[in-house]
Amino acid sequence: MSLHFEIHAICPTTGARAGMLHTAHGSIPTPVFMPVGTQATVKALTPRDLAVELDAKIILANTYHLFLRPGHERIERMGGLHKFMSWPRAILTDSGGFQVFSLDTLRKVTEEGVLFRSHLNGDAHFFTPESTVDVQISFGSDILMALDECLSYPATHDAALESMQRTIRWARAAYAHYLKREKGLDCALFPIVQGSMFADLRRACAEELMTLDAPGYAIGGLSVGEPRDLSQEMAAVTAPLLPPQKPRYVMGVGMPEELPEYVAHGVDMMDCVLPSRNARNGYLFTSQGKVVIKQAQYMDDQRPVDPNCTCYTCRTFTRAYLRHLFQAGEILFSMLATLHNIHYYLDIMTRMRHAILLGNFPEFLRSMRSVALRSSE
């Protein structure tokens, strides 16, 4: 397999890591935030925006949605996901497990997998640990995720234990199938640690999954309705248990000020829909706190969204103009706001990496906590 991870520096105070993740579609400096391109597109941005303006090294796409439409066979016939969406850099695809389990009444869990009905037309489909590996291989993904069971919050210990054990069995089946299929392929499969919000289950799951000696590991089942401090607690419990020489990926997090908190636990990779979703809703992240652009105070504001930001939006447009676009319902607002928010996230990761390499990550962490306080005011 072509995936290779090397660590360049570790913060002695926190354990934060700076490294390089090498894939068939380029090398990725870590820690890294992955913009979410659910349907083979990061909403409101072109691949050129992502590659040229934002210099994103890796994006995430969604197996569930792409399986249903346009279908993995069609994407494979088109030359794979990279060619289909004209994205030359790395792609991580999730297994679709989170989306399937979000369907609630439209799915049924068995030992073999998950029977579910499409939210598009009601057609029945069946995901197994093996089939989700095959679908992601059809995409040509650089990083594949194993099928897992993701519980909503809260869950009882008994329910979480049963779910966690099923996730382990599915991970073993998926990994065995992956080893048969990956010969000559440039892809890597990550199993996912589950266990709800129970530290003992997280530890047990991590210990079992490490026996697979996978190329990387993910921490799933967070941001499912639990308090944010509980998300941090589970990451803090789990990440140090995972192999130190392998990349660690926390799925579906978080707010900008939370990113360095996860990195402080030893996490290397993150993704979240927040920067793009909040942008479309007029919520902009800045170094001086949040900007809710619809507010009347910005009607005549000639400042950029963030005077400390170097993105195209902040270099070129005023808050007054952005507010006008938002109030008028113009598509351009979503484009400019999304570009800014994702730039803000990626810039945090770049500055965080430099801080780790230079040995001043604790100071960076304190500065981000002060931004969090301003944002909460």
Side-chain angles (χ1 to χ4, degrees), residues 203-238:
R203 293 190 188 97
C205 190
E207 289 171 2
E208 289 291 333
L209 293 180
M210 280 191 294
T211 64
L212 297 176
D213 192 25
Y217 289 85
I219 301 170
L222 302 182
S223 296
V224 291
E226 78 280 5
R228 292 190 179 277
D229 58 347
L230 196 49
S231 304
Q232 295 285 343
E233 182 182 336
M234 291 302 102
V237 165
T238 310

PDB file of all heavy atoms in Angstrom, residues 203-238:
ATOM      1  N   ARG A 203     -11.575   1.992  25.371  1.00  0.00           N
ATOM      2  CA  ARG A 203     -10.282   1.319  25.562  1.00  0.00           C
ATOM      3  C   ARG A 203     -10.328  -0.104  24.999  1.00  0.00           C
ATOM      4  O   ARG A 203      -9.397  -0.537  24.303  1.00  0.00           O
ATOM      5  CB  ARG A 203      -9.927   1.286  27.050  1.00  0.00           C
ATOM      6  CG  ARG A 203      -9.640   2.650  27.661  1.00  0.00           C
ATOM      7  CD  ARG A 203      -9.073   2.502  29.062  1.00  0.00           C
ATOM      8  NE  ARG A 203      -8.965   3.791  29.724  1.00  0.00           N
ATOM      9  CZ  ARG A 203      -9.870   4.275  30.574  1.00  0.00           C
ATOM     10  NH1 ARG A 203     -10.942   3.557  30.891  1.00  0.00           N
ATOM     11  NH2 ARG A 203      -9.698   5.468  31.126  1.00  0.00           N
ATOM     12  N   ALA A 204     -11.395  -0.819  25.315  1.00  0.00           N
ATOM     13  CA  ALA A 204     -11.504  -2.205  24.859  1.00  0.00           C
ATOM     14  C   ALA A 204     -11.557  -2.270  23.332  1.00  0.00           C
ATOM     15  O   ALA A 204     -10.923  -3.144  22.719  1.00  0.00           O
ATOM     16  CB  ALA A 204     -12.752  -2.849  25.460  1.00  0.00           C
ATOM     17  N   CYS A 205     -12.292  -1.361  22.722  1.00  0.00           N
ATOM     18  CA  CYS A 205     -12.410  -1.348  21.271  1.00  0.00           C
ATOM     19  C   CYS A 205     -11.062  -1.041  20.622  1.00  0.00           C
ATOM     20  O   CYS A 205     -10.648  -1.710  19.663  1.00  0.00           O
ATOM     21  CB  CYS A 205     -13.457  -0.317  20.842  1.00  0.00           C
ATOM     22  SG  CYS A 205     -13.896  -0.398  19.092  1.00  0.00           S
ATOM     23  N   ALA A 206     -10.368  -0.054  21.145  1.00  0.00           N
ATOM     24  CA  ALA A 206      -9.062   0.306  20.595  1.00  0.00           C
ATOM     25  C   ALA A 206      -8.093  -0.865  20.687  1.00  0.00           C
ATOM     26  O   ALA A 206      -7.350  -1.162  19.729  1.00  0.00           O
ATOM     27  CB  ALA A 206      -8.513   1.526  21.328  1.00  0.00           C
ATOM     28  N   GLU A 207      -8.077  -1.548  21.813  1.00  0.00           N
ATOM     29  CA  GLU A 207      -7.165  -2.672  22.001  1.00  0.00           C
ATOM     30  C   GLU A 207      -7.438  -3.790  20.993  1.00  0.00           C
ATOM     31  O   GLU A 207      -6.509  -4.371  20.419  1.00  0.00           O
ATOM     32  CB  GLU A 207      -7.286  -3.208  23.428  1.00  0.00           C
ATOM     33  CG  GLU A 207      -6.702  -2.259  24.482  1.00  0.00           C
ATOM     34  CD  GLU A 207      -7.018  -2.694  25.899  1.00  0.00           C
ATOM     35  OE1 GLU A 207      -7.667  -3.775  26.055  1.00  0.00           O
ATOM     36  OE2 GLU A 207      -6.632  -1.986  26.844  1.00  0.00           O
ATOM     37  N   GLU A 208      -8.718  -4.074  20.743  1.00  0.00           N
ATOM     38  CA  GLU A 208      -9.064  -5.134  19.788  1.00  0.00           C
ATOM     39  C   GLU A 208      -8.706  -4.728  18.364  1.00  0.00           C
ATOM     40  O   GLU A 208      -8.167  -5.528  17.591  1.00  0.00           O
ATOM     41  CB  GLU A 208     -10.561  -5.450  19.887  1.00  0.00           C
ATOM     42  CG  GLU A 208     -10.980  -6.159  21.156  1.00  0.00           C
ATOM     43  CD  GLU A 208     -10.439  -7.579  21.207  1.00  0.00           C
ATOM     44  OE1 GLU A 208     -10.196  -8.180  20.140  1.00  0.00           O
ATOM     45  OE2 GLU A 208     -10.245  -8.097  22.318  1.00  0.00           O
ATOM     46  N   LEU A 209      -8.981  -3.486  18.001  1.00  0.00           N
ATOM     47  CA  LEU A 209      -8.724  -3.050  16.629  1.00  0.00           C
ATOM     48  C   LEU A 209      -7.233  -2.952  16.326  1.00  0.00           C
ATOM     49  O   LEU A 209      -6.816  -3.122  15.174  1.00  0.00           O
ATOM     50  CB  LEU A 209      -9.406  -1.711  16.365  1.00  0.00           C
ATOM     51  CG  LEU A 209     -10.940  -1.727  16.369  1.00  0.00           C
ATOM     52  CD1 LEU A 209     -11.482  -0.331  16.094  1.00  0.00           C
ATOM     53  CD2 LEU A 209     -11.484  -2.725  15.348  1.00  0.00           C
ATOM     54  N   MET A 210      -6.434  -2.693  17.341  1.00  0.00           N
ATOM     55  CA  MET A 210      -4.990  -2.594  17.110  1.00  0.00           C
ATOM     56  C   MET A 210      -4.383  -3.925  16.674  1.00  0.00           C
ATOM     57  O   MET A 210      -3.312  -3.949  16.054  1.00  0.00           O
ATOM     58  CB  MET A 210      -4.287  -2.066  18.359  1.00  0.00           C
ATOM     59  CG  MET A 210      -4.401  -0.553  18.498  1.00  0.00           C
ATOM     60  SD  MET A 210      -3.310   0.110  19.775  1.00  0.00           S
ATOM     61  CE  MET A 210      -4.009  -0.601  21.256  1.00  0.00           C
ATOM     62  N   THR A 211      -5.059  -5.026  16.965  1.00  0.00           N
ATOM     63  CA  THR A 211      -4.540  -6.327  16.536  1.00  0.00           C
ATOM     64  C   THR A 211      -4.577  -6.475  15.013  1.00  0.00           C
ATOM     65  O   THR A 211      -3.900  -7.351  14.462  1.00  0.00           O
ATOM     66  CB  THR A 211      -5.347  -7.481  17.169  1.00  0.00           C
ATOM     67  OG1 THR A 211      -6.698  -7.429  16.705  1.00  0.00           O
ATOM     68  CG2 THR A 211      -5.319  -7.386  18.687  1.00  0.00           C
ATOM     69  N   LEU A 212      -5.348  -5.616  14.332  1.00  0.00           N
ATOM     70  CA  LEU A 212      -5.406  -5.657  12.870  1.00  0.00           C
ATOM     71  C   LEU A 212      -4.142  -5.087  12.243  1.00  0.00           C
ATOM     72  O   LEU A 212      -3.854  -5.345  11.076  1.00  0.00           O
ATOM     73  CB  LEU A 212      -6.621  -4.868  12.371  1.00  0.00           C
ATOM     74  CG  LEU A 212      -8.000  -5.373  12.792  1.00  0.00           C
ATOM     75  CD1 LEU A 212      -9.078  -4.434  12.298  1.00  0.00           C
ATOM     76  CD2 LEU A 212      -8.229  -6.788  12.258  1.00  0.00           C
ATOM     77  N   ASP A 213      -3.418  -4.272  13.001  1.00  0.00           N
ATOM     78  CA  ASP A 213      -2.231  -3.581  12.479  1.00  0.00           C
ATOM     79  C   ASP A 213      -2.579  -2.814  11.208  1.00  0.00           C
ATOM     80  O   ASP A 213      -1.884  -2.890  10.185  1.00  0.00           O
ATOM     81  CB  ASP A 213      -1.096  -4.579  12.201  1.00  0.00           C
ATOM     82  CG  ASP A 213       0.234  -3.868  11.942  1.00  0.00           C
ATOM     83  OD1 ASP A 213       0.406  -2.733  12.428  1.00  0.00           O
ATOM     84  OD2 ASP A 213       1.082  -4.450  11.239  1.00  0.00           O
ATOM     85  N   ALA A 214      -3.656  -2.048  11.274  1.00  0.00           N
ATOM     86  CA  ALA A 214      -4.133  -1.261  10.138  1.00  0.00           C
ATOM     87  C   ALA A 214      -3.196  -0.082   9.887  1.00  0.00           C
ATOM     88  O   ALA A 214      -2.436   0.325  10.771  1.00  0.00           O
ATOM     89  CB  ALA A 214      -5.555  -0.762  10.397  1.00  0.00           C
ATOM     90  N   PRO A 215      -3.248   0.517   8.683  1.00  0.00           N
ATOM     91  CA  PRO A 215      -2.371   1.656   8.374  1.00  0.00           C
ATOM     92  C   PRO A 215      -2.750   2.943   9.088  1.00  0.00           C
ATOM     93  O   PRO A 215      -1.962   3.891   9.115  1.00  0.00           O
ATOM     94  CB  PRO A 215      -2.512   1.812   6.856  1.00  0.00           C
ATOM     95  CG  PRO A 215      -3.788   1.135   6.509  1.00  0.00           C
ATOM     96  CD  PRO A 215      -3.965   0.035   7.491  1.00  0.00           C
ATOM     97  N   GLY A 216      -3.939   3.006   9.663  1.00  0.00           N
ATOM     98  CA  GLY A 216      -4.378   4.169  10.420  1.00  0.00           C
ATOM     99  C   GLY A 216      -5.650   3.831  11.171  1.00  0.00           C
ATOM    100  O   GLY A 216      -6.283   2.792  10.904  1.00  0.00           O
ATOM    101  N   TYR A 217      -6.019   4.687  12.122  1.00  0.00           N
ATOM    102  CA  TYR A 217      -7.184   4.428  12.962  1.00  0.00           C
ATOM    103  C   TYR A 217      -8.013   5.692  13.128  1.00  0.00           C
ATOM    104  O   TYR A 217      -7.472   6.807  13.165  1.00  0.00           O
ATOM    105  CB  TYR A 217      -6.755   3.919  14.339  1.00  0.00           C
ATOM    106  CG  TYR A 217      -6.192   2.510  14.299  1.00  0.00           C
ATOM    107  CD1 TYR A 217      -4.852   2.298  13.999  1.00  0.00           C
ATOM    108  CD2 TYR A 217      -7.005   1.410  14.532  1.00  0.00           C
ATOM    109  CE1 TYR A 217      -4.327   1.011  13.931  1.00  0.00           C
ATOM    110  CE2 TYR A 217      -6.491   0.117  14.477  1.00  0.00           C
ATOM    111  CZ  TYR A 217      -5.158  -0.080  14.177  1.00  0.00           C
ATOM    112  OH  TYR A 217      -4.650  -1.357  14.110  1.00  0.00           O
ATOM    113  N   ALA A 218      -9.334   5.491  13.226  1.00  0.00           N
ATOM    114  CA  ALA A 218     -10.246   6.612  13.414  1.00  0.00           C
ATOM    115  C   ALA A 218     -10.993   6.467  14.735  1.00  0.00           C
ATOM    116  O   ALA A 218     -11.175   5.362  15.250  1.00  0.00           O
ATOM    117  CB  ALA A 218     -11.242   6.700  12.259  1.00  0.00           C
ATOM    118  N   ILE A 219     -11.412   7.602  15.258  1.00  0.00           N
ATOM    119  CA  ILE A 219     -12.260   7.654  16.455  1.00  0.00           C
ATOM    120  C   ILE A 219     -13.600   8.191  16.005  1.00  0.00           C
ATOM    121  O   ILE A 219     -13.718   9.339  15.568  1.00  0.00           O
ATOM    122  CB  ILE A 219     -11.646   8.568  17.527  1.00  0.00           C
ATOM    123  CG1 ILE A 219     -10.255   8.074  17.917  1.00  0.00           C
ATOM    124  CG2 ILE A 219     -12.548   8.649  18.755  1.00  0.00           C
ATOM    125  CD1 ILE A 219      -9.478   9.036  18.799  1.00  0.00           C
ATOM    126  N   GLY A 220     -14.625   7.349  16.054  1.00  0.00           N
ATOM    127  CA  GLY A 220     -15.955   7.724  15.583  1.00  0.00           C
ATOM    128  C   GLY A 220     -16.934   7.868  16.732  1.00  0.00           C
ATOM    129  O   GLY A 220     -16.585   7.721  17.903  1.00  0.00           O
ATOM    130  N   GLY A 221     -18.172   8.150  16.376  1.00  0.00           N
ATOM    131  CA  GLY A 221     -19.228   8.227  17.375  1.00  0.00           C
ATOM    132  C   GLY A 221     -19.201   9.467  18.225  1.00  0.00           C
ATOM    133  O   GLY A 221     -19.816   9.498  19.299  1.00  0.00           O
ATOM    134  N   LEU A 222     -18.511  10.524  17.765  1.00  0.00           N
ATOM    135  CA  LEU A 222     -18.526  11.800  18.479  1.00  0.00           C
ATOM    136  C   LEU A 222     -19.390  12.792  17.696  1.00  0.00           C
ATOM    137  O   LEU A 222     -19.755  12.547  16.549  1.00  0.00           O
ATOM    138  CB  LEU A 222     -17.106  12.341  18.647  1.00  0.00           C
ATOM    139  CG  LEU A 222     -16.133  11.425  19.390  1.00  0.00           C
ATOM    140  CD1 LEU A 222     -14.772  12.098  19.527  1.00  0.00           C
ATOM    141  CD2 LEU A 222     -16.681  11.032  20.762  1.00  0.00           C
ATOM    142  N   SER A 223     -19.722  13.905  18.343  1.00  0.00           N
ATOM    143  CA  SER A 223     -20.612  14.908  17.738  1.00  0.00           C
ATOM    144  C   SER A 223     -21.949  14.285  17.348  1.00  0.00           C
ATOM    145  O   SER A 223     -22.486  14.531  16.261  1.00  0.00           O
ATOM    146  CB  SER A 223     -19.950  15.556  16.526  1.00  0.00           C
ATOM    147  OG  SER A 223     -18.800  16.278  16.905  1.00  0.00           O
ATOM    148  N   VAL A 224     -22.478  13.456  18.235  1.00  0.00           N
ATOM    149  CA  VAL A 224     -23.774  12.817  17.994  1.00  0.00           C
ATOM    150  C   VAL A 224     -24.804  13.280  19.022  1.00  0.00           C
ATOM    151  O   VAL A 224     -25.761  12.560  19.323  1.00  0.00           O
ATOM    152  CB  VAL A 224     -23.644  11.275  18.009  1.00  0.00           C
ATOM    153  CG1 VAL A 224     -22.871  10.789  16.807  1.00  0.00           C
ATOM    154  CG2 VAL A 224     -23.005  10.790  19.312  1.00  0.00           C
ATOM    155  N   GLY A 225     -24.589  14.481  19.572  1.00  0.00           N
ATOM    156  CA  GLY A 225     -25.532  15.053  20.525  1.00  0.00           C
ATOM    157  C   GLY A 225     -24.999  15.195  21.925  1.00  0.00           C
ATOM    158  O   GLY A 225     -25.669  15.778  22.787  1.00  0.00           O
ATOM    159  N   GLU A 226     -23.797  14.697  22.184  1.00  0.00           N
ATOM    160  CA  GLU A 226     -23.222  14.781  23.527  1.00  0.00           C
ATOM    161  C   GLU A 226     -22.644  16.164  23.785  1.00  0.00           C
ATOM    162  O   GLU A 226     -22.340  16.900  22.837  1.00  0.00           O
ATOM    163  CB  GLU A 226     -22.134  13.711  23.703  1.00  0.00           C
ATOM    164  CG  GLU A 226     -20.794  14.026  23.052  1.00  0.00           C
ATOM    165  CD  GLU A 226     -20.737  13.746  21.567  1.00  0.00           C
ATOM    166  OE1 GLU A 226     -21.797  13.388  20.980  1.00  0.00           O
ATOM    167  OE2 GLU A 226     -19.653  13.885  20.961  1.00  0.00           O
ATOM    168  N   PRO A 227     -22.478  16.537  25.057  1.00  0.00           N
ATOM    169  CA  PRO A 227     -21.795  17.804  25.372  1.00  0.00           C
ATOM    170  C   PRO A 227     -20.390  17.806  24.795  1.00  0.00           C
ATOM    171  O   PRO A 227     -19.724  16.773  24.734  1.00  0.00           O
ATOM    172  CB  PRO A 227     -21.771  17.826  26.909  1.00  0.00           C
ATOM    173  CG  PRO A 227     -22.863  16.888  27.331  1.00  0.00           C
ATOM    174  CD  PRO A 227     -22.944  15.842  26.269  1.00  0.00           C
ATOM    175  N   ARG A 228     -19.910  18.991  24.397  1.00  0.00           N
ATOM    176  CA  ARG A 228     -18.613  19.080  23.732  1.00  0.00           C
ATOM    177  C   ARG A 228     -17.466  18.638  24.630  1.00  0.00           C
ATOM    178  O   ARG A 228     -16.477  18.078  24.162  1.00  0.00           O
ATOM    179  CB  ARG A 228     -18.386  20.494  23.209  1.00  0.00           C
ATOM    180  CG  ARG A 228     -19.336  20.861  22.071  1.00  0.00           C
ATOM    181  CD  ARG A 228     -18.961  22.155  21.394  1.00  0.00           C
ATOM    182  NE  ARG A 228     -19.868  22.456  20.299  1.00  0.00           N
ATOM    183  CZ  ARG A 228     -19.762  21.958  19.074  1.00  0.00           C
ATOM    184  NH1 ARG A 228     -18.793  21.112  18.804  1.00  0.00           N
ATOM    185  NH2 ARG A 228     -20.622  22.293  18.136  1.00  0.00           N
ATOM    186  N   ASP A 229     -17.585  18.884  25.923  1.00  0.00           N
ATOM    187  CA  ASP A 229     -16.495  18.467  26.799  1.00  0.00           C
ATOM    188  C   ASP A 229     -16.419  16.941  26.889  1.00  0.00           C
ATOM    189  O   ASP A 229     -15.338  16.375  27.101  1.00  0.00           O
ATOM    190  CB  ASP A 229     -16.652  19.089  28.190  1.00  0.00           C
ATOM    191  CG  ASP A 229     -17.964  18.742  28.859  1.00  0.00           C
ATOM    192  OD1 ASP A 229     -18.876  18.228  28.180  1.00  0.00           O
ATOM    193  OD2 ASP A 229     -18.101  18.999  30.075  1.00  0.00           O
ATOM    194  N   LEU A 230     -17.544  16.272  26.670  1.00  0.00           N
ATOM    195  CA  LEU A 230     -17.549  14.812  26.668  1.00  0.00           C
ATOM    196  C   LEU A 230     -16.882  14.279  25.393  1.00  0.00           C
ATOM    197  O   LEU A 230     -16.187  13.257  25.431  1.00  0.00           O
ATOM    198  CB  LEU A 230     -18.978  14.284  26.791  1.00  0.00           C
ATOM    199  CG  LEU A 230     -19.170  12.818  27.183  1.00  0.00           C
ATOM    200  CD1 LEU A 230     -18.338  12.445  28.395  1.00  0.00           C
ATOM    201  CD2 LEU A 230     -20.648  12.529  27.422  1.00  0.00           C
ATOM    202  N   SER A 231     -17.072  14.984  24.283  1.00  0.00           N
ATOM    203  CA  SER A 231     -16.367  14.614  23.048  1.00  0.00           C
ATOM    204  C   SER A 231     -14.860  14.674  23.271  1.00  0.00           C
ATOM    205  O   SER A 231     -14.119  13.754  22.890  1.00  0.00           O
ATOM    206  CB  SER A 231     -16.752  15.569  21.909  1.00  0.00           C
ATOM    207  OG  SER A 231     -18.128  15.608  21.697  1.00  0.00           O
ATOM    208  N   GLN A 232     -14.418  15.767  23.888  1.00  0.00           N
ATOM    209  CA  GLN A 232     -12.990  15.913  24.166  1.00  0.00           C
ATOM    210  C   GLN A 232     -12.490  14.811  25.087  1.00  0.00           C
ATOM    211  O   GLN A 232     -11.388  14.273  24.910  1.00  0.00           O
ATOM    212  CB  GLN A 232     -12.735  17.287  24.805  1.00  0.00           C
ATOM    213  CG  GLN A 232     -13.025  18.469  23.903  1.00  0.00           C
ATOM    214  CD  GLN A 232     -11.946  18.662  22.856  1.00  0.00           C
ATOM    215  OE1 GLN A 232     -10.852  18.136  22.970  1.00  0.00           O
ATOM    216  NE2 GLN A 232     -12.265  19.428  21.831  1.00  0.00           N
ATOM    217  N   GLU A 233     -13.285  14.481  26.076  1.00  0.00           N
ATOM    218  CA  GLU A 233     -12.885  13.448  27.039  1.00  0.00           C
ATOM    219  C   GLU A 233     -12.681  12.101  26.344  1.00  0.00           C
ATOM    220  O   GLU A 233     -11.705  11.388  26.612  1.00  0.00           O
ATOM    221  CB  GLU A 233     -13.944  13.325  28.127  1.00  0.00           C
ATOM    222  CG  GLU A 233     -13.612  12.310  29.205  1.00  0.00           C
ATOM    223  CD  GLU A 233     -14.715  12.189  30.244  1.00  0.00           C
ATOM    224  OE1 GLU A 233     -15.499  13.147  30.413  1.00  0.00           O
ATOM    225  OE2 GLU A 233     -14.798  11.124  30.889  1.00  0.00           O
ATOM    226  N   MET A 234     -13.606  11.749  25.438  1.00  0.00           N
ATOM    227  CA  MET A 234     -13.482  10.466  24.736  1.00  0.00           C
ATOM    228  C   MET A 234     -12.268  10.452  23.805  1.00  0.00           C
ATOM    229  O   MET A 234     -11.574   9.440  23.672  1.00  0.00           O
ATOM    230  CB  MET A 234     -14.760  10.168  23.955  1.00  0.00           C
ATOM    231  CG  MET A 234     -15.965   9.865  24.830  1.00  0.00           C
ATOM    232  SD  MET A 234     -15.708   8.452  25.953  1.00  0.00           S
ATOM    233  CE  MET A 234     -15.400   9.298  27.513  1.00  0.00           C
ATOM    234  N   ALA A 235     -12.000  11.577  23.156  1.00  0.00           N
ATOM    235  CA  ALA A 235     -10.805  11.658  22.318  1.00  0.00           C
ATOM    236  C   ALA A 235      -9.542  11.548  23.163  1.00  0.00           C
ATOM    237  O   ALA A 235      -8.570  10.882  22.779  1.00  0.00           O
ATOM    238  CB  ALA A 235     -10.805  12.960  21.531  1.00  0.00           C
ATOM    239  N   ALA A 236      -9.559  12.186  24.327  1.00  0.00           N
ATOM    240  CA  ALA A 236      -8.398  12.155  25.221  1.00  0.00           C
ATOM    241  C   ALA A 236      -8.142  10.746  25.739  1.00  0.00           C
ATOM    242  O   ALA A 236      -6.990  10.338  25.927  1.00  0.00           O
ATOM    243  CB  ALA A 236      -8.610  13.119  26.384  1.00  0.00           C
ATOM    244  N   VAL A 237      -9.206   9.985  25.962  1.00  0.00           N
ATOM    245  CA  VAL A 237      -9.068   8.611  26.431  1.00  0.00           C
ATOM    246  C   VAL A 237      -8.528   7.711  25.320  1.00  0.00           C
ATOM    247  O   VAL A 237      -7.657   6.864  25.549  1.00  0.00           O
ATOM    248  CB  VAL A 237     -10.428   8.074  26.928  1.00  0.00           C
ATOM    249  CG1 VAL A 237     -10.398   6.553  27.080  1.00  0.00           C
ATOM    250  CG2 VAL A 237     -10.808   8.728  28.244  1.00  0.00           C
ATOM    251  N   THR A 238      -9.049   7.905  24.102  1.00  0.00           N
ATOM    252  CA  THR A 238      -8.814   6.957  23.019  1.00  0.00           C
ATOM    253  C   THR A 238      -7.517   7.181  22.263  1.00  0.00           C
ATOM    254  O   THR A 238      -6.757   6.235  22.000  1.00  0.00           O
ATOM    255  CB  THR A 238      -9.994   6.999  22.025  1.00  0.00           C
ATOM    256  OG1 THR A 238     -11.226   6.872  22.730  1.00  0.00           O
ATOM    257  CG2 THR A 238      -9.873   5.879  21.005  1.00  0.00           C
TER     258      THR A 238
END
